[in-house]
């Protein structure tokens, strides 16, 4: 056993398929497949990398010397010494976006097992109900797929709508809003996102914890009926 990593740790293999990657996270084949997408990856014991949600669409273009989790110097390995010992013998879930941005998901992300019928891993029971409804009704959808839209200053801002769906040949976005008026940051983020959707002229369906959570299926049946919403508009705003 070495001082730094276990002897059988192979830093030259692609984390997804195990083929030679010349010290990078991806071999050329997997890099081309997942470039410009985002994926969820589960890592067991700092060695076994597994995609756990193929509906996520993105990958990694990290510097060969950087740790996959924290970005510190890793001397050509995929983990720095600190992270290797921190996550060795544990299961770690990463969300990797645009081949470069890594988010370590909260510890209970997978332990809660909020997995939908079609394999998405979602953040709440309500989102699971929404996803399952879309699946049961054969509505094509993506969960938290990144889009880039201009804000009021003309800057391109990345957004992750809770759901992007197709009704006919039209894209419709769904945001599920929690209920916490005391959370100023959440309220400001919500306001900002709604303004961006409005300026972009996208069709947005709003769902609310305060009113729709009691019967999400009925809410979706009504709100996703093209007769009840307007294309290119923000639909079902809260009444104040």
């Amino acid at each position: 056993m070495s001082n730094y990593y276990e002897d059988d740790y192979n830093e030259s293999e692609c984390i997804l398929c195990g083929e030679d990657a010349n010290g990078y996270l991806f071999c050329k084949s997997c890099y081309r497949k997942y470039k410009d997408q985002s994926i969820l990856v589960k890592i067991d014991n700092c060695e076994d990398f597994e995609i756990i949600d193929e509906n996520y669409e993105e990958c990694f273009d990290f510097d060969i010397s950087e740790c996959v989790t924290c970005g510190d110097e890793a001397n050509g390995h995929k983990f720095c010494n600190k992270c290797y010992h921190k996550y060795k013998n544990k299961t770690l879930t990463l969300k990797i976006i645009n081949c470069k941005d890594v988010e370590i998901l909260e510890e209970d992300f997978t332990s809660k097992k909020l997995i939908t019928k079609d394999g998405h891993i979602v953040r709440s029971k309500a989102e699971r109900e929404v996803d399952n409804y879309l699946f049961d009704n054969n509505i094509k959808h993506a969960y938290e797929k990144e889009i880039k839209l201009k804000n009021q200053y003309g800057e391109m801002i990345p957004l992750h709508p809770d759901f992007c769906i197709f009704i006919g040949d039209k894209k419709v976005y769904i945001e599920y809003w929690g209920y916490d008026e005391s959370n100023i940051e959440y309220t400001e983020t919500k306001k900002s996102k709604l303004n961006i959707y409005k300026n972009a002229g996208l069709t947005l369906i709003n769902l609310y914890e305060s009113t729709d959570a009691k019967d999400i299926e009925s809410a979706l049946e009504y709100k996703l009926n093209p007769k009840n919403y307007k294309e290119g508009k923000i639909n079902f705003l809260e009444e104040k």
Side-chain angles (χ1 to χ4, degrees):
M1 179 181 297
S2 69
N3 228 351
Y4 195 81
Y5 295 98
E6 302 291 353
D7 289 335
D8 61 357
Y9 181 81
N10 191 336
E11 66 274 13
S12 67
E13 294 180 354
C14 172
I15 68 171
L16 300 183
C17 70
E19 295 295 327
D20 184 70
N22 296 317
Y24 290 94
L25 292 182
F26 282 83
C27 64
K28 288 183 178 180
S29 176
C30 288
Y31 178 83
R32 291 180 182 131
K33 180 177 180 181
Y34 293 104
K35 189 176 184 298
D36 300 323
Q37 299 183 35
S38 92
I39 53 178
L40 284 182
V41 175
K42 183 177 72 174
I43 307 172
D44 285 322
N45 196 28
C46 290
E47 295 182 22
D48 300 321
F49 291 73
E50 175 189 358
I51 295 178
I52 57 176
D53 185 356
E54 293 182 355
N55 291 293
Y56 274 81
E57 308 168 348
E58 280 143 74
C59 97
F60 329 34
D61 188 18
F62 295 105
D63 186 293
I64 186 172
S65 64
E66 293 180 354
C67 174
V68 65
T69 52
C70 71
D72 286 347
E73 174 65 41
N75 297 319
H77 294 274
K78 295 193 173 62
F79 292 87
C80 64
N81 192 25
K82 178 181 177 180
C83 289
Y84 177 79
H85 290 291
K86 180 178 180 179
Y87 295 113
K88 184 178 181 295
N89 299 321
K90 294 182 179 179
T91 297
L92 176 66
T93 303
L94 302 179
K95 181 177 180 181
I96 306 177
I97 306 170
N98 292 332
C99 296
K100 58 184 179 181
D101 300 320
V102 176
E103 177 185 356
I104 300 177
L105 300 178
E106 58 266 29
E107 293 181 1
D108 61 352
F109 190 81
T110 53
S111 65
K112 288 183 178 179
K113 298 186 182 300
L114 294 177
I115 302 174
T116 67
K117 292 179 180 179
D118 58 355
H120 286 117
I121 299 177
V122 295
R123 299 179 181 276
S124 70
K125 291 180 180 179
E127 287 184 341
R128 182 172 60 187
E129 288 187 55
V130 173
D131 196 288
N132 287 341
Y133 174 91
L134 298 174
F135 176 77
D136 289 340
N137 287 275
N138 298 312
I139 299 174
K140 184 179 179 182
H141 61 284
Y143 177 68
E144 290 193 343
K145 180 177 177 63
E146 181 178 278
I147 59 175
K148 291 185 178 180
L149 301 173
K150 287 184 179 180
N151 64 10
Q152 58 184 343
Y153 306 108
E155 302 167 327
M156 295 303 293
I157 302 296
L159 292 183
H160 296 84
D162 291 332
F163 296 93
C164 173
I165 69 174
F166 282 89
I167 297 181
D169 60 349
K170 305 291 185 179
K171 272 187 181 181
V172 175
Y173 296 92
I174 298 175
E175 289 284 4
Y176 186 92
W177 303 108
Y179 184 69
D180 187 359
E181 294 181 347
S182 65
N183 190 327
I184 297 176
E185 182 178 355
Y186 182 82
T187 301
E188 289 300 315
T189 298
K190 175 182 175 181
K191 181 179 178 181
S192 175
K193 290 180 74 173
L194 288 174
N195 284 334
I196 293 173
Y197 282 119
K198 181 180 179 180
N199 293 335
L202 300 182
T203 304
L204 176 66
I205 304 296
N206 290 295
L207 293 171
Y208 302 98
E209 178 74 21
S210 57
T211 55
D212 297 319
K214 297 176 183 178
D215 191 348
I216 288 180
E217 183 172 338
S218 294
L220 287 168
E221 286 180 358
Y222 178 79
K223 292 187 175 184
L224 297 186
N225 185 333
K227 296 179 180 179
N228 298 325
Y229 66 81
K230 295 180 180 179
E231 292 184 7
K233 301 292 183 181
I234 306 297
N235 294 274
F236 309 108
L237 285 169
E238 288 177 299
E239 295 183 4
K240 296 295 185 180

